[in-house]
Amino acid sequence: MSSSPKPLNYPLPRKSDQIDDYHGTLVADPYRWLEDPNSEETKAWIEAENQITFAYLGEVAVREKIQQRLTKLWDYEKYGIPFKEGENYFYFKNNGLQNQSVLYTLKSLDSEPRVLLDPNKLSADGTVALSGLAISDNGKLLAYGLSTAGSDWQEWKVLDVKTGEELPDHLNWIKFSGASWTNDNQGFFYSRYDEPNAKTKLEDANYYQKLYYHRLGTAQSEDILIYQRLDEKEWGFRGDVTEDGCYLIISVWLGTDSRNLVFYKDLTQPNAEVVELISQFEANYSFIEHDETVFYFRTDLDAPRGRVIAIDIARPDKEAWREVIPQNQATLESVNFLNNQLICDYLQDAHSQIKIFDLNGTFIQDVELPGLGSVNGFDGKRYDTETFYSFTSFTTPVTIYRYNLITGESELFRQPNVDFNPEDYETKQVFYQSKDGTQVPMFITHKKGIKLNGNNPTCLYAYGGFNISLTPNFSVNILVWMEMGGIYASANLRGGGEYGEEWHQAGMKEKKQNVFDDFIAAAEWLIANNYTRPAKLAIAGGSNGGLLVGACMTQRPELFGAALPAVGVMDMLRFHKFTIGWAWTAEYGSPDKREEFPPLYAYSPLHNLKPGTAYPATLITTADHDDRVVPAHSFKFAATLQAAHNGNAPVLIRIETKAGHGAGKPTTKIIEEAADRWAFLVRTLDIDTEL
């Protein structure tokens, strides 16, 4: 089960003499040609790499058993949170191994559900996924987005809920957009880009998003342009109609910057102009609801952990703004209007708390939750007296509860039946010290009774960016890892949103090294406390987390036994040149700016691989249709890593076909990839396991 005794024979891709000048620093980019995923040379390289990778994984005797166990555990009914529009309820359900979850509708919660939309019938291999939906106020029409092979590009269609009939409406070139119906049920708002070049649509940068209104029964070419900014090519727009249909709230976003603008349009007045209510990128504003001319927002303005404010659009000056719920020690994630109350979802040390306030900000009560975990839901209309929410933890599959807003009681609604005993496992939260003394939380989950002898195979996972919070979550993949005797650790690094905007900013731009220091400190803590040792420690992360893994394995290669960077941002000097990559300069900084180039170059995984270094066993994973983090990042990193590596540990790349960044990936592909990851760790970490 140990690593190969001699290095693998990797492909020897052509090296070009490409050199770029960054503010006086000359940087070689010999594998620039791998940025073209459609060239014959790139295709040949992909095929050669996959042959080596799958041959290596095929030699792991226990791999088939891992896949069988994953498949068996995955085969349980998974319910989504029910929601209501008009007279109809809707919810998603997956029978177990369906590639895509199915949308059902029913008149009452105890009536017979009816399949409304089954994405599994849209493609033979499950690679067409439902990527968005919006149901009209009367519950009679469904607008839905479809994504093919994991692409961010969507096409939108419309269904008659009662008959299941597909209407002729068909919209294209939609990306980073939902849909929001007008309350006359005659059409909806959405955002799109101009039609891209067909050959390069998965690589080209996306600029000049526009907000449109589509009226049912008309061609997309007749859609009404609501708002555009030809002087601001990077601005994006999300249009949401208020519950009463009176206003269109336009949130203006700029890349991945959490700060946004808020405009509105009075839908009760024909030809009303768009009004700029908040016109400076100074904070995040999330619209909650309105009372006549008073708009409620969740914001981090002067409150990095979040608060609720009220703005009267009749007196929009900032001096007239009113604080409704002040900031407290927990981080305010979201707010919903239900039962004419404010239902607030907080994070306290990376786990959920739900608190209810009246419209004046007076605290009413906490919602009692089943334990320390993650909550979603509490959606509905302003005067609803019931709602639904889901609860999950590392050892609790997603469980649905029905909540009575009058009595304050939760009732179990759907509980999945998974083939394991949660009592066999335990989760604890620890706090460790990072390089600069910052206290960082980490969840550790494993079988009860495990011996802390420094010999346990351990998978350390994190993300650390874009204000995204990592909270407890159940995963069959993680369960199988723990059944094999593995420890799973999830660290809440700076750059995330667990402690609000200050925590986020402490891991941005020139402070990004803090994120890597936090992750390295987590690994050192696990080793110092005898959970594991370097030869038994794997690090994993995806997207921005793939960057995290790439940076840490180049900075401290001796600290880890294995690395699993997935769909990672590996080239920090060219990330902004593809698809939506330009939007990440708000998080990372821009290599085009002289003052922001040095830190990017200092940690860019691609540019910090040093020839002659023994790197940990590495399995890079990406997909040929990833148009979020284009696969060129992983391609160039793999080619450079294989050329630089001086050791016997395998450094491989697994390139999925007909898949994208992750959203909508079919169950079969998820299981196959998970089996390959664990099989790789079984072999490279020398794990003695019986399944």
Side-chain angles (χ1 to χ4, degrees):
M1 285 187 293
S2 59
S3 304
S4 301
K6 58 182 180 179
L8 296 167
N9 291 317
Y10 303 112
L12 297 174
R14 171 176 63 88
K15 288 187 175 184
S16 74
D17 56 2
Q18 177 71 42
I19 295 178
D20 300 302
D21 186 338
Y22 292 91
H23 317 289
T25 299
L26 299 181
V27 181
D29 194 2
Y31 303 116
R32 174 75 59 84
W33 55 270
L34 280 170
E35 291 180 355
D36 181 1
N38 299 312
S39 76
E40 293 305 315
E41 192 175 18
T42 301
K43 289 178 181 177
W45 178 84
I46 290 172
E47 184 176 351
E49 290 286 356
N50 269 344
Q51 282 182 353
I52 294 171
T53 298
F54 288 114
Y56 181 90
L57 296 170
E59 293 172 359
V60 183
V62 76
R63 188 208 171 280
E64 187 174 343
K65 286 186 176 180
I66 294 173
Q67 181 161 339
Q68 289 172 354
R69 183 59 178 153
L70 282 164
T71 303
K72 182 179 180 182
L73 278 172
W74 210 286
D75 194 7
Y76 70 92
E77 285 187 329
K78 304 166 189 71
Y79 285 90
I81 302 170
F83 57 99
K84 190 178 184 181
E85 289 291 350
E87 298 300 314
N88 298 313
Y89 285 93
F90 302 86
Y91 69 95
F92 284 95
K93 189 185 82 164
N94 190 306
N95 289 337
L97 294 174
Q98 289 174 293
N99 276 320
Q100 305 290 343
S101 294
V102 178
L103 179 61
Y104 291 83
T105 184
L106 63 170
K107 284 290 185 184
S108 64
L109 292 173
D110 54 4
S111 64
E112 188 68 24
R114 173 172 59 88
V115 173
L116 179 57
L117 184 61
D118 184 355
N120 299 289
K121 294 182 178 179
L122 301 177
S123 62
D125 57 3
T127 55
V128 174
L130 187 64
S131 53
L133 76 154
I135 297 166
S136 60
D137 282 15
N138 60 10
K140 294 181 179 180
L141 295 165
L142 165 69
Y144 63 98
L146 297 176
S147 167
T148 300
S151 172
D152 279 336
W153 285 113
Q154 301 174 344
E155 56 178 323
W156 279 71
K157 299 182 178 183
V158 181
L159 273 185
D160 183 302
V161 170
K162 184 176 181 180
T163 65
E165 177 188 358
E166 187 174 297
L167 303 186
D169 304 80
H170 189 183
L171 310 182
N172 282 305
W173 312 123
I174 299 171
K175 185 185 278 197
F176 314 125
S177 173
S180 186
W181 289 83
T182 46
N183 70 344
D184 61 4
N185 310 297
Q186 294 301 304
F188 52 85
F189 298 95
Y190 72 98
S191 300
R192 62 162 288 187
Y193 292 93
D194 291 336
E195 183 173 346
N197 182 306
K199 289 185 178 180
T200 57
K201 66 182 181 182
L202 296 183
E203 297 88 51
D204 289 349
N206 306 129
Y207 293 117
Y208 298 111
Q209 195 183 51
K210 300 177 178 69
L211 179 63
Y212 283 92
Y213 177 71
H214 173 73
R215 181 168 289 276
L216 287 182
T218 64
Q220 187 175 16
S221 59
E222 298 175 28
D223 288 353
I224 300 168
L225 177 64
I226 302 300
Y227 198 77
Q228 66 173 340
R229 284 295 289 268
L230 297 180
D231 60 328
E232 296 287 356
K233 69 177 183 178
E234 297 181 348
W235 283 17
F237 309 99
R238 177 185 173 91
D240 289 293
V241 179
T242 56
E243 184 180 318
D244 60 6
C246 291
Y247 293 98
L248 174 68
I249 308 298
I250 303 172
S251 179
V252 183
W253 52 270
L254 178 59
T256 54
D257 196 331
S258 57
R259 298 171 297 180
N260 63 302
L261 312 180
V262 179
F263 304 161
Y264 69 87
K265 179 181 173 70
D266 187 340
L267 298 179
T268 67
Q269 302 297 319
N271 304 315
E273 295 293 318
V274 170
V275 178
E276 296 188 6
L277 178 62
I278 296 165
S279 56
Q280 288 186 315
F281 286 102
E282 60 181 0
N284 176 266
Y285 298 89
S286 297
F287 179 79
I288 304 168
E289 195 38 273
H290 77 103
D291 262 332
E292 300 295 336
T293 60
V294 177
F295 286 16
Y296 292 89
F297 291 93
R298 187 206 69 82
T299 183
D300 57 16
L301 178 71
D302 302 325
R305 292 187 299 280
R307 59 179 177 144
V308 175
I309 63 171
I311 302 174
D312 189 337
I313 59 172
R315 298 172 57 222
D317 293 341
K318 192 173 288 187
E319 297 75 35
W321 294 6
R322 176 169 57 89
E323 183 172 79
V324 180
I325 302 174
Q327 173 179 255
N328 65 35
Q329 288 303 306
T331 302
L332 181 58
E333 293 276 280
S334 63
V335 183
N336 287 327
F337 238 47
L338 292 166
N339 192 34
N340 211 34
Q341 297 170 331
L342 297 167
I343 316 299
C344 296
D345 180 357
Y346 286 96
L347 271 190
Q348 178 66 52
D349 292 331
H351 59 81
S352 294
Q353 292 181 336
I354 307 295
K355 296 180 179 294
I356 301 178
F357 299 83
D358 68 18
L359 299 190
N360 294 316
T362 302
F363 173 73
I364 298 174
Q365 65 185 31
D366 289 309
V367 175
E368 188 175 340
L369 300 176
L372 296 185
S374 305
V375 167
N376 278 306
F378 290 98
D379 294 318
K381 306 295 186 184
R382 176 168 182 167
Y383 294 104
D384 285 353
T385 56
E386 75 160 14
T387 186
F388 297 85
Y389 68 90
S390 68
F391 177 84
T392 184
S393 71
F394 291 111
T395 56
T396 307
V398 175
T399 304
I400 311 296
Y401 291 86
R402 187 178 186 177
Y403 185 72
N404 187 315
L405 287 146
I406 304 298
T407 65
E409 294 179 352
S410 293
E411 172 191 349
L412 184 64
F413 183 70
R414 292 285 186 271
Q415 184 171 29
N417 182 22
V418 185
D419 182 25
F420 87 113
N421 181 7
E423 297 302 316
D424 293 342
Y425 299 87
E426 62 180 325
T427 297
K428 62 181 171 183
Q429 187 179 39
V430 301
F431 291 82
Y432 64 90
Q433 188 167 296
S434 190
K435 183 178 181 179
D436 63 359
T438 300
Q439 291 291 111
V440 182
M442 175 166 58
F443 292 102
I444 304 173
T445 309
H446 52 72
K447 282 183 179 178
K448 287 181 179 176
I450 206 161
K451 294 179 180 177
L452 299 185
N453 56 10
N455 204 38
N456 299 298
T458 300
C459 181
L460 172 61
Y461 178 87
Y463 185 79
F466 295 94
N467 204 28
I468 291 172
S469 302
L470 280 191
T471 59
N473 187 47
F474 179 79
S475 164
V476 164
N477 295 349
I478 296 170
L479 179 57
V480 170
W481 171 250
M482 294 190 297
E483 285 187 343
M484 292 160 52
I487 291 172
Y488 184 78
S490 177
N492 299 106
L493 316 180
R494 281 175 285 184
E498 290 87 350
Y499 293 104
E501 185 58 22
E502 287 178 347
W503 190 253
H504 172 214
Q505 291 186 15
M508 285 174 57
K509 291 192 172 181
E510 75 281 0
K511 297 178 181 176
K512 187 68 177 176
Q513 184 60 42
N514 285 338
V515 185
F516 313 137
D517 290 342
D518 289 355
F519 200 48
I520 289 167
E524 292 175 334
W525 188 94
L526 290 165
I527 293 165
N529 286 272
N530 293 319
Y531 282 88
T532 191
R533 55 189 169 90
K536 294 286 187 179
L537 176 60
I539 50 173
S543 194
N544 174 74
L547 159 63
L548 171 71
V549 172
C552 291
M553 65 177 279
T554 55
Q555 292 183 15
R556 293 290 301 278
E558 82 294 344
L559 190 58
F560 316 110
L564 302 173
V567 293
V569 187
M570 300 303 200
D571 184 346
M572 299 309 297
L573 304 187
R574 288 178 60 77
F575 70 88
H576 59 314
K577 295 184 178 294
F578 302 98
T579 62
I580 199 64
W582 60 265
W584 312 332
T585 58
E587 181 81 10
Y588 298 139
S590 172
D592 295 340
K593 295 182 179 180
R594 179 180 294 273
E595 69 277 12
E596 294 181 349
F597 166 75
L600 288 166
Y601 189 44
Y603 71 74
S604 177
L606 175 65
H607 301 98
N608 284 278
L609 290 165
K610 297 178 176 60
T613 303
Y615 287 99
T618 305
L619 179 62
I620 303 161
T621 51
T622 188
D624 62 349
H625 278 70
D626 189 345
D627 52 0
R628 182 82 56 82
V629 179
V630 292
H633 284 277
S634 294
F635 293 174
K636 290 162 66 175
F637 185 72
T640 308
L641 174 62
Q642 289 173 349
H645 182 46
N646 180 27
N648 293 336
V651 289
L652 305 172
I653 182 169
R654 182 190 189 279
I655 304 156
E656 186 66 81
T657 56
K658 293 186 73 175
H661 196 60
K665 185 180 286 188
T667 299
T668 50
K669 288 184 181 290
I670 293 172
I671 291 174
E672 287 170 2
E673 186 173 319
D676 285 342
R677 288 171 187 268
W678 295 151
F680 181 78
L681 294 189
V682 164
R683 184 169 180 179
T684 57
L685 300 185
D686 197 14
I687 300 172
D688 185 13
T689 183
E690 294 181 9
L691 281 178

